[in-house]
Structure formats: structure tokens, C-alpha cells
Amino acid sequence: MKKVMKIGVCRGFDDFFGIKAAAEAGADYIEAGFASFVNNEDAKFDFCKDYLQQYNMPCYSANCFIPGTLKVTGENVDYAALDEYISKGFANGAKLGLKTVVFGSSGARNVPEGFSPEKAKEQIAYFLKEYAGPRAKEHG
């Protein structure tokens, strides 16, 4: 099977000038911030989705998966809030062609001072296995 390299550009999915410029320059897709799939009103999201389609510019990848305000490590991990956030993000991302999510998210996964690094690793693994993985799979 022949693999084909695709060229992507990091742009907000609501950066209309950047999307048009990327398409005209020959880019294959954009990579947007995951939060933009969650934090936009439905009408704005639909408008942006239509704009991407107008330029045949899918959004195959997303970065900055979890904001620093939603912690995946520490004493006060709010799994219900995390689940709500990622469920909406993956559902909307699927509408744009999302295939890859970059889990940088240092603010969300930093180990709080005085907290066990081993316990934090377990929490990250639990979040990825029990929440992120299944939600991503649900949405392709």
C-alpha cells in the first residue's frame, strides 16, 4: 500500500483568511485547537464547517486537547466535566474529518506540587483509557 504525505497547517477553524490562504497554497488540511470544537455556538460551528467545505479543507487533526482549567491529575479531577468536554469536542470534530488529537495539554496534566507522580501517571492512563479513547472511538 502506497502512503501519501499530506501537508497540514495549524489554523483556527474560524480563521477564514488563513484557511483560504492555506487552500490556495496547496495545503491538504488544517489542524485546529480542540477547544474550538467545544466552545463555539452551534450556528458559528456550522458556518465554519461550511467555510472549510467551500475550500475543500478538512480538519484532520487538533491540538491542545484539554485546557489547563480541566485537570486530569491531582486531588480534584472532575471526570464528568472532562467527559462532557471531550464528548462534544469529538462529536463536532468528527463533522470536520478529525482523525488525530495531540495531547499536549501541559496545564491539564501537570503534576500538582506534593502530589504523587506515580498516581498522576495512573490518572492520565485512566483518563485516556476510560474517557478519551472510548469517546474518540465512538466518533471515528
Side-chain angles (χ1 to χ4, degrees), residues 19-27 55 57:
I19 290 165
K20 181 180 180 209
E24 290 173 350
Y55 284 95
M57 189 62 61

Side-chain angles (χ1 to χ4, degrees), residues 1-6:
M1 175 167 147
K2 182 178 177 183
K3 292 190 178 201
V4 177
M5 180 183 297
K6 297 199 180 277

Side-chain angles (χ1 to χ4, degrees), residues 10 31 40 42-43 45 56-57 72 76 82-83 91-92 102 114 124:
C10 288
E31 176 175 309
N40 280 303
D42 291 341
F45 180 87
N56 193 29
M57 189 62 61
V72 296
N76 300 312
L82 283 164
D83 193 42
N92 282 337
V102 178
I124 291 170

Side-chain angles (χ1 to χ4, degrees), residues 110-130:
N110 281 346
V111 180
E113 190 167 327
F115 194 76
S116 163
E118 291 75 25
K119 175 71 175 165
K121 287 178 190 175
E122 290 172 9
Q123 287 178 306
I124 291 170
Y126 176 78
F127 166 70
L128 293 172
K129 183 178 179 186
E130 300 299 326

